[in-house]
Structures are given as C-alpha cells and as structure tokens.
Amino acid sequence: MLCERQRLVLTLLDYIGGPLANTDFQKLLFLYTRECETEPTYEFVPYKFGAFSFTSYAEKRRLADAGLLTKNRDEWRLTKAGVLAARYEPVMPLVVSHFCRQYSKLRGKALIAHQYRKYPYFATRSEILESIVTDAESRALIRKALPRRRRAALVTIGYQSRSLEGYLNLLLRASVTVLCDVRRNPISRKYGFSKETLRKNCTSVGIRYEHLPRLGVDSKDRQGLRTQKDYDKLFLEYKQKNLPERRKELAIIRAWLRTGQRVALTCFELLPNQCHRHCVAEAVAKRGSFPTVHL
C-alpha cells in the first residue's frame, strides 16, 4: 500500500517519461509541491544545490527496496513494476501532466537558476550560486532572503506534528546556531528525529547538534500524563529534584550563549508547557540575561 508521498514520486516520474538526475528531480518535485499543491506533500530546506527534501530520499530508498525504483544513487528511474504502480493509481494526473509539459524543457543549470530566482530563500545555502545566477538583481534577492544574524538567545522547539524539513526551516529562520537535544533517549519513530539522523541533517544546513541526556526526563515518569495538572506536577518535581543536580549541563548551555550562540533546546512535545525543556530554559535564564523564544 503506497502512501501519498510515494504515489506522487511515481506519478511525476511516469509523466516526465524518463530517468532524472538527482538535482533535476529535486527541483521538479519542489516546484510541483510549491505550484500545484495547497498543502505540500514534501517540504524542503535550502541546501548545497538549492531546495532539498531529506524525506524524499527516504522514500526513494523505500521505493527502491520495494522494487519500484532502480537502486541507482545518481538518478530517479522507474522499474517496470514502478510504471505499473504509477499508472494503477496516479496522483492528480491532469495537474501532473500540465506541470510536466510546462517544465519539459528545463533541466540542469537552467532549472536550478529558475528555482533560485523564483524562490530565493532556497538558494541561500547554495554552493554553486556563483555559476548559476549571474544577474545582480537575483543575487540581491537571494542575499535579502538570508536569515539575519541575531544576538544570543534561548529558543525552545518540539518536533511533534512537524516534518524534518519544516523543523529545520524554523531553526534556520530563527538564526539558531546550536541545537541542544534534551531527550534522555534520542530515539524516534518519526523520520529524521533519531539522534544520528538529526545530527547529520542539522550539520548539513549549518547547525551544530549537541546532546545533553542528563537533562532528560525518564520515560517512566511521563506515563499517564493526561491533564496540564499532571504535567505541572511532573515539572515541579523535575525542577526541585533533577535540575539542582544538573549544574554542569546548565553551565554548558550558558557558556554557548555567552559566546554569542543562539541555542535551541529540543524535545518531542509541540507545546513548551507540556515539555521539560521550558524548565531547562527557565533555569538557564536565571543566571543570565538571555531572552527566550518558543517556536
């Protein structure tokens, strides 16, 4: 049973009518989700060659394992089984067909340049910008789209209900330089948020990842939390019993802030008042005049 994301990949490749180089497919997938969908199937981050979706590559691996895409690291190509699957239940065939005709002649540098000019934020981390965009007006728009540097501050963020790319964009737009994972066990069933994957992808967009597991809450203490009163009781105990024993970890965070870093404390829960990260932020801020922003 294919999910919507996987069906879109197969449909696009089928209507394009041939294999695509990695960069070409990323740009076309990005443009389709931006221009043809009200709620994008995939989200993207600014990356070394422009807009990039880590999630799409995870789907590529799954589709290759299922025998629907070839296991070629350099291109996106349907297998015979993939063609049959694409045609069995295509996604928005009329829309995809129109889109593919519209972009049928754009490939390579011309396609990348089109994306850079139309969506300059996604060109802000490009390593090939100088060879792709030569006009002053477009370069000025890309510079303007760069998230501005900001003074040191604490940020808190949860990844619940967020895609990896959406989460990273929030960090980038908030000018975060250090992501501090305050989970005791940084393992997640949600794609992209287990420790090593999160570290790798943060690093790839210029954010340093750090893990301070001693600031975490034991999973057994989180069982049975149903009301805000339950959360408040847990956090009161955490502040009274745990944080006084975590002076070293709190001092590490303050040291990062004193060197001018914008530090994001992260855990699972979307709402800060249902996550212990707000307790950590309050403890850090007590001994320093650092503003706190909750994303």
Side-chain angles (χ1 to χ4, degrees), residues 8 12 26-44 51 53 99 119:
L8 175 60
L12 269 176
Q26 282 294 296
K27 300 302 165 283
L28 290 170
L29 182 63
F30 169 79
L31 290 167
Y32 179 85
T33 60
R34 284 275 158 161
E35 298 175 6
C36 301
E37 296 184 327
T38 53
E39 294 184 12
T41 307
Y42 289 94
E43 293 185 74
F44 292 75
S53 167
F99 172 82
Y119 302 96

Side-chain angles (χ1 to χ4, degrees), residues 40-295:
T41 307
Y42 289 94
E43 293 185 74
F44 292 75
V45 294
Y47 200 54
K48 59 180 70 176
F49 301 136
F52 185 84
S53 167
F54 297 107
T55 304
S56 72
Y57 270 78
E59 295 297 0
K60 182 184 182 186
R61 290 189 291 271
R62 294 187 186 103
L63 289 167
D65 288 342
L68 303 178
L69 294 182
T70 61
K71 294 187 177 182
N72 187 324
R73 296 181 61 182
D74 299 322
E75 66 178 16
W76 296 64
R77 181 195 292 264
L78 292 171
T79 62
K80 289 181 180 179
V83 172
L84 292 174
R87 295 176 184 178
Y88 177 72
E89 197 176 5
V91 173
M92 302 289 287
L94 292 178
V95 177
V96 173
S97 176
H98 175 75
F99 172 82
C100 290
R101 287 196 302 272
Q102 181 183 355
Y103 285 101
S104 63
K105 295 181 180 179
L106 271 184
R107 297 290 185 273
K109 287 187 176 183
L111 178 58
I112 298 171
H114 175 78
Q115 183 250 287
Y116 284 9
R117 291 189 176 98
K118 198 166 185 180
Y119 302 96
Y121 167 72
F122 292 93
T124 54
R125 296 193 56 81
S126 173
E127 296 176 358
I128 57 173
L129 180 61
E130 298 297 319
S131 65
I132 298 295
V133 177
T134 56
D135 63 289
E137 183 181 355
S138 296
R139 288 192 180 185
L141 288 173
I142 292 167
R143 286 195 299 272
K144 187 177 179 181
L146 273 166
R148 61 186 177 87
R149 291 185 63 84
R150 304 181 192 181
R151 67 190 182 100
L154 267 175
V155 176
T156 81
I157 184 171
Y159 64 85
Q160 184 181 23
S161 304
R162 287 171 170 149
S163 70
L164 172 62
E165 293 80 6
Y167 172 91
L168 291 175
N169 278 320
L170 284 171
L171 295 177
L172 289 170
R173 292 185 187 279
S175 302
V176 167
T177 55
V178 177
L179 181 70
C180 178
D181 195 335
V182 294
R183 294 176 292 175
R184 179 163 293 188
N185 298 305
I187 299 169
S188 178
R189 287 177 291 180
K190 187 175 176 68
Y191 171 72
F193 294 100
S194 290
K195 179 176 179 176
E196 290 309 315
T197 305
L198 186 56
R199 180 200 300 277
K200 177 182 176 183
N201 292 331
C202 279
T203 302
S204 72
V205 295
I207 298 170
R208 192 171 98 228
Y209 173 92
E210 299 283 353
H211 180 214
L212 296 178
R214 279 171 49 83
L215 288 173
V217 174
D218 197 298
S219 59
K220 66 179 175 59
D221 295 331
R222 303 193 63 86
Q223 303 302 314
L225 299 177
R226 293 182 177 84
T227 68
Q228 190 58 48
K229 284 186 178 181
D230 295 333
Y231 284 98
D232 293 342
K233 181 180 177 182
L234 170 66
F235 298 144
L236 179 62
E237 184 174 338
Y238 176 77
K239 286 189 278 190
Q240 291 176 341
K241 295 184 178 180
N242 294 59
L243 284 181
E245 304 298 321
R246 305 294 182 258
R247 293 186 180 89
K248 179 181 176 181
E249 286 74 18
L250 297 175
I252 289 171
I253 297 171
R254 291 191 195 101
W256 293 333
L257 291 163
R258 291 192 189 102
T259 62
Q261 305 294 330
R262 282 179 71 86
V263 181
L265 307 176
T266 195
C267 196
F268 169 72
E269 289 80 6
L270 186 67
L271 300 176
N273 66 340
Q274 293 185 353
C275 179
H276 71 288
R277 66 181 183 272
H278 84 273
C279 304
V280 177
E282 289 169 8
V284 170
K286 278 182 181 178
R287 295 194 180 183
S289 55
F290 302 108
T292 301
V293 179
H294 300 291
L295 298 179

